[in-house]
């Protein structure tokens, strides 16, 4: 359990740092198409979900490779954590902007950090309980669908508020 806790804490730190760097990477690479598939290409809520999704997905592979033997339920738990974390970003954003009537950078950053912590905490608890192991395939499939949606909707967004870039 100590190893899992250590990997989880490192994962939280990794995703927060990597996600923060991802926020700027698209512009740093002169708007590279490939980079844009995995990092935000604008300031929409949808694009900001990538800040958690892709770094946590990447780190999840590390956790699974190193901990699967001791924790057979880790795959389903991390997939669920990724999905919950990504969904918390728009949920928290629209809740607080509804209450305040505007968005602020402080709360946007807080939402990201809080979503990362909650995603890993849930994954940690579910890894220990093994409650989601029967749903491993479904959860991996849903992560794959969300992956495809991020790639597809990056350059072909739907006409929905979540895809709107407030800076345009």
């Amino acid at each position: 359990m100590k190893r899992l806790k250590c990997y989880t804490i490192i994962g939280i730190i990794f995703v927060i740092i990597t996600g923060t760097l991802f926020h700027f990477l698209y512009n740093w690479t002169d708007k590279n198409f490939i980079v844009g598939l995995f990092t935000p290409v604008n300031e929409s809520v949808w694009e900001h979900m990538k800040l958690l999704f892709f770094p946590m997905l990447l780190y999840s592979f590390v956790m699974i490779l190193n901990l699967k033997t001791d924790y057979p339920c880790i795959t389903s738990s991390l997939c669920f954590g990724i999905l919950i974390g990504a969904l918390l970003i728009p949920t928290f954003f629209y809740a607080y902007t509804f209450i305040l009537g505007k968005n602020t950078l402080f709360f946007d950053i807080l939402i990201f950090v809080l979503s990362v912590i909650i995603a890993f905490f849930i994954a940690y608890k579910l890894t220990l309980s093994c409650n989601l192991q029967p749903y491993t395939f479904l959860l991996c499939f849903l992560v794959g669908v969300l992956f495809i949606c991020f790639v597809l909707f990056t350059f072909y967004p739907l006409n929905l508020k979540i895809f709107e870039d407030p800076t345009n």
Side-chain angles (χ1 to χ4, degrees):
M1 191 156 59
K2 187 176 180 181
R3 238 176 116 211
L4 177 63
K5 190 178 287 187
C6 183
Y7 269 90
T8 300
I9 292 167
I10 292 168
I12 291 168
I13 294 165
F14 173 82
V15 172
I16 289 171
I17 291 170
T18 307
T20 301
L21 293 173
F22 272 22
H23 189 273
F24 306 102
L25 195 57
Y26 183 65
N27 286 328
W28 288 347
T29 61
D30 201 26
K31 299 185 178 184
N32 180 284
F33 178 82
I34 301 298
V35 171
L37 297 174
F38 306 103
T39 65
V41 298
N42 62 46
E43 293 298 317
S44 71
V45 175
W46 173 261
E47 289 294 312
H48 279 73
M49 292 166 63
K50 292 179 180 180
L51 299 177
L52 180 144
F53 182 85
F54 286 108
M56 188 166 177
L57 181 63
L58 178 64
Y59 190 76
S60 292
F61 288 123
V62 172
M63 288 183 74
I64 291 165
L65 286 172
N66 289 298
L67 300 173
K68 180 80 171 157
T69 304
D70 295 331
Y71 300 98
C73 306
I74 197 163
T75 302
S76 60
S77 303
L78 286 167
C79 285
F80 188 78
I82 290 167
L83 294 168
I84 289 297
L87 293 174
L88 284 174
I89 291 173
T91 303
F92 287 154
F93 177 80
Y94 290 120
Y96 101 78
T97 55
F98 176 79
I99 293 166
L100 295 182
K102 63 178 181 169
N103 70 302
T104 63
L105 181 60
F106 172 77
F107 283 122
D108 293 344
I109 294 168
L110 185 63
I111 283 170
F112 170 64
V113 171
L114 191 58
S115 297
V116 171
I117 292 169
I118 292 170
F120 272 101
F121 178 77
I122 288 172
Y124 175 83
K125 289 294 191 181
L126 289 170
T127 297
L128 295 176
S129 73
C130 271
N131 288 337
L132 294 181
Q133 190 172 22
Y135 308 102
T136 302
F137 177 79
L138 174 63
L139 292 166
C140 290
F141 176 78
L142 292 174
V143 168
V145 168
L146 189 54
F147 183 103
I148 291 166
C149 288
F150 278 126
V151 170
L152 180 64
F153 297 148
T154 291
F155 297 103
Y156 303 102
L158 301 175
N159 191 19
L160 299 170
K161 187 162 182 68
I162 196 167
F163 297 103
E164 289 178 13
D165 182 351
T167 61
N168 286 340

